[in-house]
Amino acid sequence: MNKLQKSFYLREDVVQIAKELLGKYLFTDLNNDGVTGGIIVETEAYAGVIDKASHAYGNRRTTRTEVMYMEGGVAYVYLCYGIHSLFNIVTNVKDIPHAILIRGIKPVEGFEVMLKRSAKPKMNDKIGIGPGNVSKILGIHFSQSGESLTGNSIWLEDRGLKILFSKVISGPRIGVDYAGKDASLPYRFRISL
DNA sequence: CGGCCGATCCACT
DNA sequence: GTGGATCGGCCGA
């Protein structure tokens, strides 16, 4: 197993890391349900205090956003629209609140458990598409915000899958119209597998 | 302390 | 293509 180590998350270029996350494997082992996970196929970068789309814009610190100020390599999970837990990966060093939203995975392990969590009738590659669905099928809850990504509950692996940069589609982020000109930054990355 | 609203999803037309 | 579900956190009073 080639688990991504702390050093991967501590680098300063959050946009670069967001791109590199495509093709990496995201796994969870929670609630004694066994290992579940898949290949990351869509990400969005949130570039900290200067990014109006980020919860940490303007160095805003609250109980919720404090997790983003932790040293890279932890999960930032928060509730959206009262229903969905959205899973983010915190990067950069302590006090630099960078984060990457995982918007989609392609399931590879623990199909039965993920299908059950999704409450969908049948399995397909779409059950992991959408940031709310990612957390849902992986069993991630916003109470897990701050959880380490180098432990045994939630982690990432590099299994040697190569992504052609020519196949990576970039574009503006979703649902951030309120962010002024930052809304048009090409911080969203995805691939089709 | 109360009101507002969001980095969404799904069922329905 | 559209609107309803649903609730914790943020902000202003």
Side-chain angles (χ1 to χ4, degrees), chain A residues 13-45:
Chain A
D13 190 342
V14 67
V15 175
Q16 175 65 25
I17 298 173
K19 276 189 244 182
E20 290 180 20
L21 284 174
L22 295 173
K24 296 293 188 288
Y25 288 68
L26 171 62
F27 292 110
T28 60
D29 188 356
L30 299 165
N31 312 316
N32 293 318
D33 283 341
V35 176
T36 52
I39 303 168
I40 295 172
V41 296
E42 188 168 344
T43 63
E44 279 182 7

mmCIF file of all heavy atoms in Angstrom, chain A residues 13-45:
data_model
loop_
_atom_site.group_PDB
_atom_site.id
_atom_site.type_symbol
_atom_site.label_atom_id
_atom_site.label_comp_id
_atom_site.label_asym_id
_atom_site.label_seq_id
_atom_site.Cartn_x
_atom_site.Cartn_y
_atom_site.Cartn_z
ATOM 1 N N ASP A 13 1.065 24.858 -3.185
ATOM 2 C CA ASP A 13 0.237 25.121 -4.369
ATOM 3 C C ASP A 13 -1.016 24.248 -4.368
ATOM 4 O O ASP A 13 -1.016 23.127 -4.860
ATOM 5 C CB ASP A 13 1.061 24.867 -5.637
ATOM 6 C CG ASP A 13 0.320 25.356 -6.888
ATOM 7 O OD1 ASP A 13 -0.913 25.564 -6.822
ATOM 8 O OD2 ASP A 13 0.983 25.530 -7.926
ATOM 9 N N VAL A 14 -2.086 24.795 -3.795
ATOM 10 C CA VAL A 14 -3.305 24.017 -3.615
ATOM 11 C C VAL A 14 -3.939 23.629 -4.950
ATOM 12 O O VAL A 14 -4.551 22.574 -5.083
ATOM 13 C CB VAL A 14 -4.316 24.783 -2.719
ATOM 14 C CG1 VAL A 14 -4.825 26.039 -3.409
ATOM 15 C CG2 VAL A 14 -5.481 23.893 -2.307
ATOM 16 N N VAL A 15 -3.771 24.480 -5.965
ATOM 17 C CA VAL A 15 -4.332 24.182 -7.286
ATOM 18 C C VAL A 15 -3.605 22.983 -7.906
ATOM 19 O O VAL A 15 -4.220 22.083 -8.479
ATOM 20 C CB VAL A 15 -4.252 25.412 -8.205
ATOM 21 C CG1 VAL A 15 -4.726 25.076 -9.608
ATOM 22 C CG2 VAL A 15 -5.095 26.549 -7.629
ATOM 23 N N GLN A 16 -2.294 22.988 -7.763
ATOM 24 C CA GLN A 16 -1.495 21.865 -8.247
ATOM 25 C C GLN A 16 -1.888 20.560 -7.542
ATOM 26 O O GLN A 16 -2.048 19.516 -8.177
ATOM 27 C CB GLN A 16 -0.006 22.172 -8.001
ATOM 28 C CG GLN A 16 0.943 21.036 -8.346
ATOM 29 C CD GLN A 16 0.955 20.717 -9.832
ATOM 30 O OE1 GLN A 16 0.651 21.572 -10.656
ATOM 31 N NE2 GLN A 16 1.286 19.481 -10.179
ATOM 32 N N ILE A 17 -2.061 20.628 -6.233
ATOM 33 C CA ILE A 17 -2.437 19.426 -5.481
ATOM 34 C C ILE A 17 -3.818 18.937 -5.925
ATOM 35 O O ILE A 17 -4.045 17.736 -6.075
ATOM 36 C CB ILE A 17 -2.430 19.704 -3.955
ATOM 37 C CG1 ILE A 17 -1.029 20.101 -3.496
ATOM 38 C CG2 ILE A 17 -2.902 18.460 -3.190
ATOM 39 C CD1 ILE A 17 -0.954 20.557 -2.048
ATOM 40 N N ALA A 18 -4.731 19.885 -6.167
ATOM 41 C CA ALA A 18 -6.073 19.506 -6.628
ATOM 42 C C ALA A 18 -5.985 18.700 -7.920
ATOM 43 O O ALA A 18 -6.696 17.718 -8.112
ATOM 44 C CB ALA A 18 -6.939 20.751 -6.827
ATOM 45 N N LYS A 19 -5.092 19.119 -8.813
ATOM 46 C CA LYS A 19 -4.901 18.385 -10.073
ATOM 47 C C LYS A 19 -4.300 17.014 -9.814
ATOM 48 O O LYS A 19 -4.737 16.012 -10.392
ATOM 49 C CB LYS A 19 -3.944 19.167 -10.992
ATOM 50 C CG LYS A 19 -4.617 20.242 -11.810
ATOM 51 C CD LYS A 19 -3.637 20.798 -12.837
ATOM 52 C CE LYS A 19 -3.373 22.258 -12.545
ATOM 53 N NZ LYS A 19 -2.466 22.881 -13.527
ATOM 54 N N GLU A 20 -3.321 16.959 -8.932
ATOM 55 C CA GLU A 20 -2.643 15.693 -8.649
ATOM 56 C C GLU A 20 -3.561 14.685 -7.970
ATOM 57 O O GLU A 20 -3.329 13.486 -8.031
ATOM 58 C CB GLU A 20 -1.417 15.937 -7.763
ATOM 59 C CG GLU A 20 -0.301 16.662 -8.491
ATOM 60 C CD GLU A 20 0.901 16.884 -7.582
ATOM 61 O OE1 GLU A 20 1.027 16.188 -6.560
ATOM 62 O OE2 GLU A 20 1.705 17.786 -7.907
ATOM 63 N N LEU A 21 -4.589 15.174 -7.299
ATOM 64 C CA LEU A 21 -5.495 14.252 -6.601
ATOM 65 C C LEU A 21 -6.313 13.417 -7.564
ATOM 66 O O LEU A 21 -6.786 12.335 -7.210
ATOM 67 C CB LEU A 21 -6.423 15.037 -5.673
ATOM 68 C CG LEU A 21 -5.786 15.530 -4.370
ATOM 69 C CD1 LEU A 21 -6.758 16.417 -3.615
ATOM 70 C CD2 LEU A 21 -5.370 14.357 -3.492
ATOM 71 N N LEU A 22 -6.487 13.912 -8.789
ATOM 72 C CA LEU A 22 -7.221 13.127 -9.782
ATOM 73 C C LEU A 22 -6.474 11.826 -10.034
ATOM 74 O O LEU A 22 -5.267 11.821 -10.263
ATOM 75 C CB LEU A 22 -7.340 13.906 -11.093
ATOM 76 C CG LEU A 22 -8.182 15.191 -11.040
ATOM 77 C CD1 LEU A 22 -8.068 15.926 -12.365
ATOM 78 C CD2 LEU A 22 -9.623 14.887 -10.718
ATOM 79 N N GLY A 23 -7.199 10.714 -9.953
ATOM 80 C CA GLY A 23 -6.557 9.424 -10.176
ATOM 81 C C GLY A 23 -6.002 8.792 -8.906
ATOM 82 O O GLY A 23 -5.593 7.639 -8.918
ATOM 83 N N LYS A 24 -6.015 9.548 -7.803
ATOM 84 C CA LYS A 24 -5.622 8.957 -6.516
ATOM 85 C C LYS A 24 -6.834 8.215 -5.951
ATOM 86 O O LYS A 24 -7.974 8.454 -6.337
ATOM 87 C CB LYS A 24 -5.179 10.048 -5.540
ATOM 88 C CG LYS A 24 -3.923 10.802 -5.970
ATOM 89 C CD LYS A 24 -2.701 9.916 -5.942
ATOM 90 C CE LYS A 24 -1.417 10.726 -6.172
ATOM 91 N NZ LYS A 24 -1.286 11.184 -7.580
ATOM 92 N N TYR A 25 -6.555 7.298 -5.025
ATOM 93 C CA TYR A 25 -7.625 6.501 -4.430
ATOM 94 C C TYR A 25 -7.961 7.026 -3.048
ATOM 95 O O TYR A 25 -7.073 7.228 -2.231
ATOM 96 C CB TYR A 25 -7.187 5.031 -4.337
ATOM 97 C CG TYR A 25 -7.134 4.329 -5.675
ATOM 98 C CD1 TYR A 25 -6.176 4.682 -6.629
ATOM 99 C CD2 TYR A 25 -8.038 3.307 -5.970
ATOM 100 C CE1 TYR A 25 -6.135 4.032 -7.851
ATOM 101 C CE2 TYR A 25 -7.993 2.656 -7.197
ATOM 102 C CZ TYR A 25 -7.041 3.026 -8.135
ATOM 103 O OH TYR A 25 -7.002 2.382 -9.344
ATOM 104 N N LEU A 26 -9.248 7.217 -2.803
ATOM 105 C CA LEU A 26 -9.721 7.684 -1.500
ATOM 106 C C LEU A 26 -10.450 6.537 -0.806
ATOM 107 O O LEU A 26 -11.378 5.958 -1.376
ATOM 108 C CB LEU A 26 -10.672 8.877 -1.693
ATOM 109 C CG LEU A 26 -11.438 9.383 -0.469
ATOM 110 C CD1 LEU A 26 -10.480 9.893 0.612
ATOM 111 C CD2 LEU A 26 -12.410 10.498 -0.865
ATOM 112 N N PHE A 27 -10.007 6.207 0.410
ATOM 113 C CA PHE A 27 -10.618 5.097 1.145
ATOM 114 C C PHE A 27 -11.090 5.516 2.530
ATOM 115 O O PHE A 27 -10.518 6.414 3.133
ATOM 116 C CB PHE A 27 -9.605 3.954 1.327
ATOM 117 C CG PHE A 27 -9.232 3.269 0.049
ATOM 118 C CD1 PHE A 27 -7.960 3.423 -0.485
ATOM 119 C CD2 PHE A 27 -10.159 2.474 -0.613
ATOM 120 C CE1 PHE A 27 -7.614 2.790 -1.674
ATOM 121 C CE2 PHE A 27 -9.811 1.840 -1.801
ATOM 122 C CZ PHE A 27 -8.536 2.005 -2.336
ATOM 123 N N THR A 28 -12.114 4.837 3.002
ATOM 124 C CA THR A 28 -12.516 4.985 4.398
ATOM 125 C C THR A 28 -12.720 3.600 4.994
ATOM 126 O O THR A 28 -13.003 2.640 4.281
ATOM 127 C CB THR A 28 -13.855 5.747 4.550
ATOM 128 O OG1 THR A 28 -14.898 5.040 3.868
ATOM 129 C CG2 THR A 28 -13.762 7.156 3.984
ATOM 130 N N ASP A 29 -12.531 3.528 6.297
ATOM 131 C CA ASP A 29 -12.830 2.305 7.044
ATOM 132 C C ASP A 29 -13.496 2.766 8.330
ATOM 133 O O ASP A 29 -12.835 3.030 9.320
ATOM 134 C CB ASP A 29 -11.533 1.533 7.324
ATOM 135 C CG ASP A 29 -11.837 0.156 7.930
ATOM 136 O OD1 ASP A 29 -13.025 -0.152 8.189
ATOM 137 O OD2 ASP A 29 -10.870 -0.597 8.154
ATOM 138 N N LEU A 30 -14.822 2.899 8.250
ATOM 139 C CA LEU A 30 -15.574 3.518 9.339
ATOM 140 C C LEU A 30 -16.706 2.614 9.819
ATOM 141 O O LEU A 30 -17.251 1.815 9.051
ATOM 142 C CB LEU A 30 -16.174 4.846 8.850
ATOM 143 C CG LEU A 30 -15.176 5.919 8.378
ATOM 144 C CD1 LEU A 30 -15.894 7.004 7.597
ATOM 145 C CD2 LEU A 30 -14.446 6.518 9.562
ATOM 146 N N ASN A 31 -17.052 2.759 11.073
ATOM 147 C CA ASN A 31 -18.219 2.073 11.647
ATOM 148 C C ASN A 31 -18.180 0.556 11.467
ATOM 149 O O ASN A 31 -19.230 -0.071 11.348
ATOM 150 C CB ASN A 31 -19.516 2.619 11.027
ATOM 151 C CG ASN A 31 -19.548 4.138 11.027
ATOM 152 O OD1 ASN A 31 -19.186 4.748 12.017
ATOM 153 N ND2 ASN A 31 -19.953 4.731 9.920
ATOM 154 N N ASN A 32 -16.993 -0.014 11.418
ATOM 155 C CA ASN A 32 -16.870 -1.465 11.238
ATOM 156 C C ASN A 32 -17.564 -1.972 9.983
ATOM 157 O O ASN A 32 -17.997 -3.124 9.925
ATOM 158 C CB ASN A 32 -17.430 -2.209 12.465
ATOM 159 C CG ASN A 32 -16.588 -1.965 13.692
ATOM 160 O OD1 ASN A 32 -15.360 -1.968 13.621
ATOM 161 N ND2 ASN A 32 -17.230 -1.729 14.816
ATOM 162 N N ASP A 33 -17.668 -1.106 8.981
ATOM 163 C CA ASP A 33 -18.303 -1.506 7.726
ATOM 164 C C ASP A 33 -17.304 -2.080 6.732
ATOM 165 O O ASP A 33 -17.678 -2.512 5.645
ATOM 166 C CB ASP A 33 -18.989 -0.293 7.070
ATOM 167 C CG ASP A 33 -20.303 0.052 7.759
ATOM 168 O OD1 ASP A 33 -20.844 -0.817 8.465
ATOM 169 O OD2 ASP A 33 -20.780 1.177 7.575
ATOM 170 N N GLY A 34 -16.030 -2.051 7.081
ATOM 171 C CA GLY A 34 -15.007 -2.508 6.149
ATOM 172 C C GLY A 34 -14.545 -1.375 5.258
ATOM 173 O O GLY A 34 -15.074 -0.263 5.304
ATOM 174 N N VAL A 35 -13.544 -1.667 4.413
ATOM 175 C CA VAL A 35 -12.955 -0.632 3.569
ATOM 176 C C VAL A 35 -13.863 -0.319 2.385
ATOM 177 O O VAL A 35 -14.357 -1.211 1.709
ATOM 178 C CB VAL A 35 -11.570 -1.070 3.066
ATOM 179 C CG1 VAL A 35 -10.985 -0.026 2.107
ATOM 180 C CG2 VAL A 35 -10.624 -1.288 4.238
ATOM 181 N N THR A 36 -14.085 0.973 2.169
ATOM 182 C CA THR A 36 -14.831 1.429 1.004
ATOM 183 C C THR A 36 -14.032 2.539 0.349
ATOM 184 O O THR A 36 -13.293 3.256 1.027
ATOM 185 C CB THR A 36 -16.218 1.993 1.394
ATOM 186 O OG1 THR A 36 -16.051 2.975 2.420
ATOM 187 C CG2 THR A 36 -17.142 0.905 1.875
ATOM 188 N N GLY A 37 -14.176 2.705 -0.965
ATOM 189 C CA GLY A 37 -13.450 3.802 -1.593
ATOM 190 C C GLY A 37 -13.485 3.750 -3.095
ATOM 191 O O GLY A 37 -14.114 2.876 -3.696
ATOM 192 N N GLY A 38 -12.808 4.729 -3.688
ATOM 193 C CA GLY A 38 -12.794 4.811 -5.135
ATOM 194 C C GLY A 38 -11.747 5.784 -5.631
ATOM 195 O O GLY A 38 -10.991 6.355 -4.849
ATOM 196 N N ILE A 39 -11.733 5.940 -6.954
ATOM 197 C CA ILE A 39 -10.773 6.823 -7.606
ATOM 198 C C ILE A 39 -11.343 8.238 -7.666
ATOM 199 O O ILE A 39 -12.491 8.428 -8.064
ATOM 200 C CB ILE A 39 -10.488 6.343 -9.032
ATOM 201 C CG1 ILE A 39 -9.985 4.902 -9.012
ATOM 202 C CG2 ILE A 39 -9.497 7.269 -9.728
ATOM 203 C CD1 ILE A 39 -9.956 4.253 -10.390
ATOM 204 N N ILE A 40 -10.546 9.202 -7.262
ATOM 205 C CA ILE A 40 -10.988 10.595 -7.307
ATOM 206 C C ILE A 40 -11.052 11.057 -8.764
ATOM 207 O O ILE A 40 -10.062 10.963 -9.494
ATOM 208 C CB ILE A 40 -10.032 11.493 -6.505
ATOM 209 C CG1 ILE A 40 -10.078 11.113 -5.016
ATOM 210 C CG2 ILE A 40 -10.399 12.971 -6.697
ATOM 211 C CD1 ILE A 40 -9.032 11.804 -4.169
ATOM 212 N N VAL A 41 -12.224 11.535 -9.186
ATOM 213 C CA VAL A 41 -12.376 11.967 -10.571
ATOM 214 C C VAL A 41 -12.729 13.454 -10.704
ATOM 215 O O VAL A 41 -12.764 13.983 -11.811
ATOM 216 C CB VAL A 41 -13.448 11.140 -11.317
ATOM 217 C CG1 VAL A 41 -13.014 9.681 -11.417
ATOM 218 C CG2 VAL A 41 -14.803 11.251 -10.650
ATOM 219 N N GLU A 42 -13.002 14.102 -9.593
ATOM 220 C CA GLU A 42 -13.329 15.530 -9.679
ATOM 221 C C GLU A 42 -12.964 16.250 -8.388
ATOM 222 O O GLU A 42 -13.270 15.781 -7.299
ATOM 223 C CB GLU A 42 -14.826 15.704 -9.981
ATOM 224 C CG GLU A 42 -15.200 17.141 -10.268
ATOM 225 C CD GLU A 42 -16.619 17.258 -10.840
ATOM 226 O OE1 GLU A 42 -17.177 16.243 -11.291
ATOM 227 O OE2 GLU A 42 -17.149 18.381 -10.817
ATOM 228 N N THR A 43 -12.289 17.397 -8.517
ATOM 229 C CA THR A 43 -11.870 18.177 -7.346
ATOM 230 C C THR A 43 -12.070 19.671 -7.602
ATOM 231 O O THR A 43 -12.194 20.101 -8.748
ATOM 232 C CB THR A 43 -10.367 17.968 -7.034
ATOM 233 O OG1 THR A 43 -9.587 18.449 -8.138
ATOM 234 C CG2 THR A 43 -10.030 16.509 -6.781
ATOM 235 N N GLU A 44 -12.080 20.426 -6.517
ATOM 236 C CA GLU A 44 -12.075 21.887 -6.619
ATOM 237 C C GLU A 44 -11.137 22.453 -5.569
ATOM 238 O O GLU A 44 -11.193 22.053 -4.411
ATOM 239 C CB GLU A 44 -13.477 22.468 -6.364
ATOM 240 C CG GLU A 44 -14.399 22.419 -7.562
ATOM 241 C CD GLU A 44 -15.752 23.057 -7.275
ATOM 242 O OE1 GLU A 44 -15.919 23.644 -6.188
ATOM 243 O OE2 GLU A 44 -16.633 22.962 -8.146
ATOM 244 N N ALA A 45 -10.301 23.415 -5.973
ATOM 245 C CA ALA A 45 -9.359 24.029 -5.034
ATOM 246 C C ALA A 45 -9.966 25.279 -4.407
ATOM 247 O O ALA A 45 -10.648 26.054 -5.078
ATOM 248 C CB ALA A 45 -8.066 24.389 -5.765
#
